[in-house]
Amino acid sequence: MKNSRLIIFASLVLAGILIVQFNQIPNLDKQLEQARADLKQAKANQVKSQTIVSSPKSQQNQVSNSTKNVTLFVDKFSNQPTSTYPDALKGLASQKVINELTQTFAPSVTFSDKAYYDVPLVGLKNAWGSNLEYLVIAKSDTQSVAYTITYDTDEKQVTDMSRLTLKGAFDNEK
């Protein structure tokens, strides 16, 4: 009698363990899929890194084209009225950046019909990866304005920017 109770108790414990294990299968499947996705992303990043390292000429061309696009972007938004930004900057910048320019940057900078902004300096801060970072100076006869700009080489557009304050050599003291 005592042995049969012990066998029944052991059977119930084993059945409980099996039920718990079967309930964990969906979680394990999710973890497996996440691990596969992470592995796929890591392999893609490795291939991209190997491509950059193995073909610096390709990266140099990409940086050169990106610099031209950033220069064009700054030239366009500096020398046009804010009302034309949605059309003029489409394809050069993300919608977020266009909205920020329209609402934030443009009113803080004196853009007039008579002022023309040159872009004498486009400095590359970070040349590796898919997000290139630039320091850009736009200069007119009356003022100079500096921006930090993030350019996404995958999307081929400006994805982030902020205005900097200038002190010293770039101030126009007249």
Side-chain angles (χ1 to χ4, degrees):
M1 194 68 160
K2 209 175 192 185
N3 284 342
S4 65
R5 286 184 186 173
L6 187 60
I7 291 174
I8 291 173
F9 177 73
S11 298
L12 288 175
V13 169
L14 287 175
I17 290 172
L18 280 174
I19 290 172
V20 168
Q21 292 298 320
F22 283 127
N23 285 338
Q24 288 183 352
I25 288 175
N27 268 350
L28 293 174
D29 285 341
K30 288 179 186 175
Q31 290 176 357
L32 177 63
E33 289 304 315
Q34 183 62 42
R36 284 182 180 162
D38 291 346
L39 178 63
K40 185 177 180 180
Q41 182 65 38
K43 283 183 179 179
N45 289 343
Q46 181 185 14
V47 166
K48 189 171 189 174
S49 296
Q50 286 175 343
T51 302
I52 289 171
V53 171
S54 65
S55 61
K57 185 73 172 167
S58 164
Q59 180 67 11
Q60 185 179 11
N61 291 339
Q62 187 173 8
V63 168
S64 177
N65 291 337
S66 300
T67 304
K68 288 176 189 172
N69 288 343
V70 167
T71 305
L72 177 65
F73 166 74
V74 173
D75 188 48
K76 278 196 176 207
F77 92 79
S78 295
N79 295 308
Q80 292 191 10
T82 55
S83 60
T84 64
Y85 284 177
D87 295 326
L89 301 178
K90 194 169 195 99
L92 291 175
S94 67
Q95 192 61 45
K96 174 190 158 219
V97 171
I98 294 172
N99 291 342
E100 283 181 8
L101 279 172
T102 305
Q103 298 168 7
T104 309
F105 291 124
S108 65
V109 182
T110 308
F111 292 119
S112 68
D113 295 335
K114 297 176 185 168
Y116 177 77
Y117 283 82
D118 285 323
V119 184
L121 176 68
V122 178
L124 188 59
K125 182 178 173 186
N126 175 13
W128 299 104
S130 63
N131 289 334
L132 303 178
E133 296 175 22
Y134 289 94
L135 170 67
V136 179
I137 307 282
K139 185 176 185 211
S140 75
D141 290 337
T142 56
Q143 68 180 353
S144 296
V145 186
Y147 302 99
T148 56
I149 294 177
T150 303
Y151 185 85
D152 190 329
T153 56
D154 295 332
E155 295 179 25
K156 298 201 182 328
Q157 63 182 359
V158 173
T159 55
D160 194 25
M161 73 180 290
S162 61
R163 184 168 177 220
L164 304 172
T165 56
L166 288 176
K167 295 184 186 225
F170 287 101
D171 285 342
N172 292 326
E173 299 171 356
K174 290 188 177 186

